Amino acid sequence: MQGKGSVLSCTDPIQGRETTMRRKQNGVMVWTTLAAMLLALPAAATPVPSLPAREQMLGLLEHKALYRDRVDWAVLRRDLAATDDPDRQRRLLSDAINRATAGHGGWMSAEEVREGYRKRAAGPGMAPAAAATEGPQAHPIDARLGLIRVAPYLPDPGLPREQQRAAERQEAQRLQDLLWRQDDGSRCGWIVDLGDNTGGNMWPMLLGVGPLLRGRADGPDVVGHFFDGAALQPWRYREGAVWVGDAPRLAPDDTARRPRRPDAPVAVLQSGRTASSGEAIVLAFRGRPHSRSFGTPTMGYSTGNVPVTLVDGSTLLLTGTVMKDRNGIGGGSRIVPDVTAAQRADAMRLAQAWLLAQPACGGNPTGNAGPGARPSWKTVP
């Protein structure tokens, strides 16, 4: 994987018809996730790439895919050359992409990209990344705690690049505005709910929760990494903006604003639906002082994709990096919470109990929840 420049987000694997197309995208080598767009592709047609696009795709996969050694590329080319059946060709390509990307990459025709986005945007699953919690809640929240729900976010891939960036900034700003409205001095802890975040573009999400990431005013600015097999590329929250390596990626309108209590404890809610870019945000909080995660293991697509437009206008989602936390820990697999709770209501209840037991909320910490304690984050295959 090539991890240069800005890293984006992941795809939504929950609703994709093909398991091969699920996660992140790379913009300036921005890794992002577009699985969210695969949710409703035309069922009858079997589009395949043109021959030049197919050769371009195979070359990229053979030389740059994260798990390229899992495919015999000579045999694949022989089998593709031996059939004129589009169904057979698509199956062969999908199987190879699936193995070379561990199920996170994929290929979409130009029409599938457009149709997937149209259906995604029109459906109930396309909640804005900033949509969080105002009004009555299914699970009551203690008045001393703030709550930010980070939903999937996927911009229209047909928009010009500048308009996509403007949309990213708008979503990040909306999420931060929600945080600032709650940050009135009465909040002693925060809940960041990623339980329904199935992926999309990670940068608005990361910037939206950025003020909570460092754990203290002078905390380290590195909050995560991409790893391409050779080098780590850090994600940073610095000077009120998100950076990739040493290059700024996304900034809000007001980069000077800071949370009233930057060291307030944070509880992260996750579930088996949390995927791709959602997993990136889970990882961004992992290792933060005074943070803890609650719920069930994530879906297991914590790898980075870069969307590549092929010569026929179709798109290859090329998985080339593994996502890691601020300490360089992560294997591209499922992320296990610190506290297991099978039901969302239980995760919310346990998260609130832990937060209110922290010194910041005037509680009496127990066990390893005391000041400076670091949770034992884990991943499973």
Side-chain angles (χ1 to χ4, degrees), residues 208-287:
V209 300
L212 302 178
L213 284 172
R214 294 179 68 166
R216 62 179 192 267
D218 61 346
D221 62 10
V222 173
V223 298
H225 297 87
F226 288 107
F227 180 63
D228 64 2
L232 289 171
Q233 179 190 41
W235 327 327
R236 304 178 189 273
Y237 184 74
R238 174 195 290 176
E239 300 169 359
V242 168
W243 297 56
V244 180
D246 292 319
R249 174 61 180 79
L250 195 63
D253 295 336
D254 182 359
T255 59
R257 190 160 184 176
R258 299 293 184 268
R260 292 174 184 261
R261 304 178 70 170
D263 59 346
V266 173
V268 176
L269 303 186
Q270 61 181 71
S271 77
R273 287 177 54 83
T274 308
S276 193
S277 292
E279 290 170 297
I281 309 306
V282 170
L283 286 170
F285 280 100
R286 192 162 83 169

Side-chain angles (χ1 to χ4, degrees), residues 87-346:
D87 287 327
R88 169 73 173 154
Q89 291 177 358
R90 183 72 181 249
R91 286 195 299 271
L92 287 168
L93 290 171
S94 294
D95 177 67
I97 294 170
N98 189 45
R99 284 184 284 139
T101 67
H104 197 186
W107 175 84
M108 294 175 286
S109 69
E111 177 55 31
E112 285 176 329
V113 172
R114 290 190 294 269
E115 183 66 13
Y117 176 78
R118 283 195 296 268
K119 290 183 180 295
R120 176 78 177 178
M126 191 54 192
T133 57
E134 295 180 285
Q137 299 302 319
H139 308 297
I141 305 300
D142 189 286
R144 291 167 288 177
L145 304 177
L147 173 63
I148 306 293
R149 281 201 176 100
V150 186
Y153 171 68
L154 184 68
D156 184 346
L159 291 176
R161 184 173 182 78
E162 283 307 308
Q163 291 185 35
Q164 290 194 39
R165 285 295 180 86
E168 291 176 26
R169 288 192 296 271
Q170 181 180 16
E171 290 303 318
Q173 190 65 56
R174 288 172 58 193
L175 190 53
Q176 283 203 4
D177 286 346
L178 173 66
L179 188 155
W180 300 134
R181 286 197 297 272
Q182 296 180 76
D183 189 27
D184 58 4
S186 65
R187 303 294 191 264
C188 64
W190 294 89
I191 297 172
V192 176
D193 187 352
L194 295 157
D196 288 319
N197 193 316
T198 51
N201 184 322
M202 71 180 268
W203 301 118
M205 304 176 196
L206 194 66
L207 181 59
V209 300
L212 302 178
L213 284 172
R214 294 179 68 166
R216 62 179 192 267
D218 61 346
D221 62 10
V222 173
V223 298
H225 297 87
F226 288 107
F227 180 63
D228 64 2
L232 289 171
Q233 179 190 41
W235 327 327
R236 304 178 189 273
Y237 184 74
R238 174 195 290 176
E239 300 169 359
V242 168
W243 297 56
V244 180
D246 292 319
R249 174 61 180 79
L250 195 63
D253 295 336
D254 182 359
T255 59
R257 190 160 184 176
R258 299 293 184 268
R260 292 174 184 261
R261 304 178 70 170
D263 59 346
V266 173
V268 176
L269 303 186
Q270 61 181 71
S271 77
R273 287 177 54 83
T274 308
S276 193
S277 292
E279 290 170 297
I281 309 306
V282 170
L283 286 170
F285 280 100
R286 192 162 83 169
R288 176 198 184 273
H290 313 295
S291 68
R292 200 160 179 78
S293 60
F294 300 79
T296 56
T298 61
M299 187 171 287
Y301 290 93
S302 51
T303 49
N305 287 343
V306 53
V308 180
T309 301
L310 303 179
V311 292
D312 63 356
S314 63
T315 298
L316 171 67
L317 300 180
L318 179 62
T319 304
T321 59
V322 168
M323 295 191 294
K324 296 180 179 290
D325 66 18
R326 64 187 67 198
N327 297 314
I329 299 170
S333 57
R334 299 166 68 198
I335 304 166
V336 176
D338 295 308
V339 178
T340 299
Q343 302 299 320
R344 293 289 294 277
D346 291 336

